[in-house]
Amino acid sequence: MNPKRPISASPEASAADRRAIAGLDIVPRREISRWLTAAVVIALLAWVGKAFAEGDIAWGVVAEFFTAPAILIGLLNTIIMTACAMSLGIVLGVVFAVLYMSPNPVARAVAWGYIWIFRGTPLILQLLLWFNLALVFPTLGVPGLFEVRTVEVMTPFIATLLGLGLNQGAYTAEVVRAGILSVDAGQTEAAKSIGMTRLMSLRRIVLPQAMRVIIPPVGNEVISMVKLTSIASVIQYAEILRNAQTIYYANARVIELLIVAAGWYLIVVTLLQIGQYQLERHFAKGQATLGARGMTRLPEHA
Amino acid sequence: MPEPMVSVVGVSKWFGPLCAVDDVSLDVAAGTVQCVIGPSGSGKSSLLRCINQLEGVDRGAIFLDGVMLGYEVAGGVRVPLSDARIARQRLMTGTVFQRFNLFQHMTVLANVIEGPVHVLGRPRGEAVEEARSLLDRVGLADKVKAYPAELSGGQQQRVAIARALAMHPKVLLFDEPTSALDPELVGEVLAVMRTLAGTGMTMIVVTHELGFAREVGSNVVFMDRGRIVEQGPPSAILSAPQEKRTRDFIGAAL
C-alpha cells in the first residue's frame, strides 16, 4: 500500500483506511468568516475612533470634568436613586406578585389594578404627577393628628423615588410571578406536607428557587434603572446627566460633558453586570448540571 | 376494635365533571400497612391527596386519630378551616411523593431539618442530630451535604422518607413511591419501607408493587373508577380475588 496515497472517508474505503482515519487527530475548523467579520468590525471601530480623535473634542476637558465635584455628586445621586427606587420596586414587585396569586379575590383585584395603572401610563407622566401632587392634595396626613404641606414633602427626590419605584414594582411583579410559576408545583406540595402555610412555603421554598428565573430579568431592569434615573431631570432631580447639562449650558462643551456622563454610566453598568453574574451563580445552587452559568457565558465551541 | 388511626367516611371528590373518588369508606388501624392498588386514574392518588389535604373533599369526611380533617362543625354545617389550621393538621401526616419533591435548593441535611427547625421550631443542633440518624437509617449518612440533583432517584426517595419521618407523623402516606424509579432502584426504597413497617408505623401505600403489597401489607384495597371494588388481607385480594375487575387487574399485572 502506498503510504502517500491520501486517505478519504469514501464509501469504498477499506477497513484499514477507516482505522487509519479513526486514528487521525481532530483539529479546530478554520473559521474564515470569523476572521472576515472581525476585520470588518475592527475597521468600523477604527473609523469611529478616528472621527472622535479628529473631531472637535477637547479630551482635556473630558478628563478635567470626569472627576469634577458636580459630576461626582450627580453620579452619587444616580446611584442612590437607582438603589432606592429598585429596592422599592423589588419589595413592591414581590408583594404584588404574591397578592396577584392569592386565593383572596380582593387581593388579586388590588394587584391587578396596581399593575394596570403603573404599567399602563408613561413613566415621565407618573413622575410629573407625583411632583405636582400638591395640585390634587394640598396637604398630606391624618386630619386632626398631623398634616404637612404636600409641596414640602414632594421634593424632587421623593417624587422621583415614588415615580420610578412604583413603576418598577409593576414590572417586577410580573417578573416575580413568572419566577413563582416556574417552580414545580410539587415543591409547594412537599412544603405543605411538612406543615408549612402558604406564605411560609413561598418564602422558604418557592421564592428562593424562583430567584434563578427572576434574577436575569431583574438584573436587566437594574441596569435599565441606572439610565432611567436620567429622566428625573425633568423634575429637577440632580442626577449625573442633569448636572452634566448644567455644566455644558455654562461652558458650551456639550460633547465632552456627554462623553463624561456616558463613561460613568458604562462604568456603573459594567460593575452591575459583574454583580449579576455572581448573584446568578449563588442562586444556581442545587442546579448542578444546568445552572445559570450557561446563560451568561457565551457557549463554548470546540 | 380500637378507634382506627385513619377513618375515611363516604368521601367523594370531583374534578369538574370527573368523579375521581366516589363514596369511599376505609378504616386503617394504628400500626398497620394499608396498601391501595388499582389501574391509573382509579382515584388511589386522589384519595391520598384528600387525606393529606392537598385536595379538599366534596362529600364525606376524613378523621385522623379522631380529628376531622379540614373542616369544623358550626351551626349544623361544616366550614373549611383556615390555611394555618390546615397546616397544623398536616403535621399528623407525612407524605412521600411519586416524584420525590425534595427541595432542590437545599442540601440533603437541610431538606430533612427544614420542617423540624422552621415549622416545629426545634433547636437546630437537636434537629441536625436526629436528621443524621434518620439519614443513617435510610443508608445515606454519607450524602448529607449533597444536593438532590446529585442523587439517584432511589437515593432522593430515601431522603424524602427521612424528611417525612423527621416530622414524627402519626401516619405516613406513600403516593406511588417507586413509580418514577429505574427498575434497579426500586428495591432500595422498598427495603426502607419494609423496615419502617416493621417499626409499627401506620402507613397508607398507593403502589403498583403487588409483591410489596403481598409481603408487607396488612390490608389491600383494590380501587377502580373512584370506588373501592374489593378489600381484605393481601392473601385474599391478591391470590383469590372475588371480583372480576380485580382478577383482570391482577392477571394483567403479573
Side-chain angles (χ1 to χ4, degrees), chain A residues 236-250:
Chain A
Q236 285 101 53
Y237 181 66
E239 44 71 50
I240 185 165
L241 184 61
R242 183 180 161 80
N243 286 5
Q245 285 177 311
T246 310
I247 297 171
Y248 72 60
Y249 289 145

Side-chain angles (χ1 to χ4, degrees), chain A residues 137-171:
Chain A
F137 300 99
T139 60
L140 295 173
V142 183
L145 276 177
F146 72 97
E147 256 177 314
V148 285
R149 291 179 61 222
T150 306
V151 276
E152 281 163 14
V153 179
M154 240 354 116
T155 59
F157 178 85
I158 295 293
T160 306
L161 175 64
L162 288 174
L164 292 175
L166 284 161
N167 186 264
Q168 187 57 47
Y171 283 93

Side-chain angles (χ1 to χ4, degrees), chain A residues 193-194, chain B residues 52 90-97 163-165 167-174 204:
Chain A
S193 81
I194 58 168
Chain B
N52 70 5
R90 280 206 193 91
L91 294 175
M92 292 192 286
T93 55
T95 306
V96 176
F97 297 90
R163 177 176 68 180
L165 286 173
M167 300 300 289
H168 299 287
K170 292 178 176 171
V171 182
L172 259 190
L173 309 172
F174 292 84
I204 302 179

Side-chain angles (χ1 to χ4, degrees), chain A residues 57-69 71-72 247 251 253 255-261 263-264:
Chain A
I57 299 169
W59 290 100
V61 175
V62 173
E64 180 193 336
F65 280 98
F66 205 74
T67 52
I71 291 293
L72 292 181
I247 297 171
N251 70 4
R253 294 290 189 182
I255 292 292
E256 288 81 354
L257 266 304
L258 289 180
I259 290 174
V260 166
W264 277 117

Side-chain angles (χ1 to χ4, degrees), chain B residues 185-209:
Chain B
L185 303 177
V186 169
E188 62 191 60
V189 172
L190 292 182
V192 168
M193 291 168 62
R194 199 173 290 127
T195 315
L196 215 50
T199 65
M201 174 60 100
T202 311
M203 294 160 60
I204 302 179
V205 185
V206 170
T207 185
H208 288 298
E209 297 290 332

Side-chain angles (χ1 to χ4, degrees), chain A residues 76-86 157 160-161 164 229 237:
Chain A
L76 191 65
N77 283 341
T78 292
I79 292 171
I80 289 173
M81 182 53 70
T82 302
C84 292
M86 206 62 213
F157 178 85
T160 306
L161 175 64
L164 292 175
T229 53
Y237 181 66

